[in-house]
Amino acid sequence: MMIKDLIKKNRSVRGYDISREVADEELREMVDCARLSASSVNMQPLKYVTINTPEGRDKIIGQISFAAKLSELHLPISGTEPVAYIVICQDENISKSGTGYHKDAGIVAQSITLAAAEMGLGACILGYFSPKEMATSLRLAGNLRPLLVIALGKSIEDIRIVEIEEGESTDYYRDENGVHYVPKRRLDDVIVEWE
């Protein structure tokens, strides 16, 4: 599969097939892709917590929020929750920079979700949670600060990209059949001409 196809397939999934587990080896492979990704000044301060047990999933699901623009839907719907998570943490023993490695977290999150897409899995990158409460819930060492949570599993959603004209809303939405639409600006509208 070409990288552009993987990128198109790599959408934020909020409904999962709970009968399809994500194995430890699959999680390790995703983390390995993250580990090999670029890192600012090659400091590599990120560490990863992999979770795919019912007990671990219960510690995460109540702390995260899906689809802020569709809050009335209360996603994920019961019975369609993620079956695994990867929590991306900054090891403050390596670097205490408060914002210096947020770029790295974004880079590795993309690597993880692309690896998941290649495996036929869906993912959703989540940043709306309390790092302190997440660290406490997972009983992480004091030097580990959660930055992002990636929800994982086999998608049951129909997600479609739609091109929009300049000035149209970029808010994602669902139709009456539950089809999820992701508006994207046109290529010509995002390339800036210069002289």
Side-chain angles (χ1 to χ4, degrees), residues 14-181:
R14 297 163 183 99
Y16 301 87
D17 175 355
I18 60 172
S19 71
R20 187 348 184 138
E21 295 289 330
V22 178
D24 291 339
E25 282 308 309
E26 290 173 307
L27 292 170
R28 288 181 60 82
E29 180 62 22
M30 290 179 225
V31 170
D32 201 29
C33 289
R35 175 187 71 86
L36 295 169
S37 298
S39 175
S40 301
V41 295
N42 204 34
M43 287 290 290
Q44 304 172 59
L46 302 180
K47 302 280 177 81
Y48 308 88
V49 181
T50 60
I51 297 162
N52 64 353
T53 64
E55 301 79 25
R57 292 190 293 252
D58 288 346
K59 290 180 182 219
I60 301 285
I61 193 69
Q63 296 189 54
I64 53 178
S65 177
F66 285 83
K69 294 189 187 257
L70 299 174
S71 59
E72 71 280 1
L73 297 180
H74 306 288
L75 300 172
I77 296 167
S78 180
T80 68
E81 296 88 354
V83 296
Y85 297 93
I86 296 175
V87 181
I88 301 170
C89 300
Q90 180 175 334
D91 185 342
E92 293 183 335
N93 286 344
I94 296 173
S95 174
K96 291 189 182 329
S97 174
T99 58
Y101 293 96
H102 287 181
K103 297 181 297 295
D104 286 19
I107 292 167
V108 301
Q110 181 80 334
S111 295
I112 289 167
T113 60
L114 285 171
E118 187 177 51
M119 294 175 189
L121 298 170
C124 189
I125 301 169
L126 304 159
Y128 189 72
F129 60 89
S130 164
K132 185 174 182 179
E133 289 176 24
M134 183 70 68
T136 300
S137 177
L138 296 175
R139 293 187 295 218
L140 299 179
N143 57 300
L144 295 176
R145 180 167 48 96
L147 301 176
L148 291 172
V149 174
I150 301 179
L152 296 155
K154 184 177 186 324
S155 176
I156 59 169
E157 296 188 319
D158 182 354
I159 304 172
R160 301 178 190 179
I161 296 172
V162 291
E163 282 200 359
I164 57 172
E165 298 295 325
E166 190 70 34
E168 289 187 289
S169 174
T170 58
D171 290 353
Y172 51 80
Y173 58 95
R174 292 191 176 194
D175 67 16
E176 63 279 354
N177 297 314
V179 176
H180 188 91
Y181 295 92

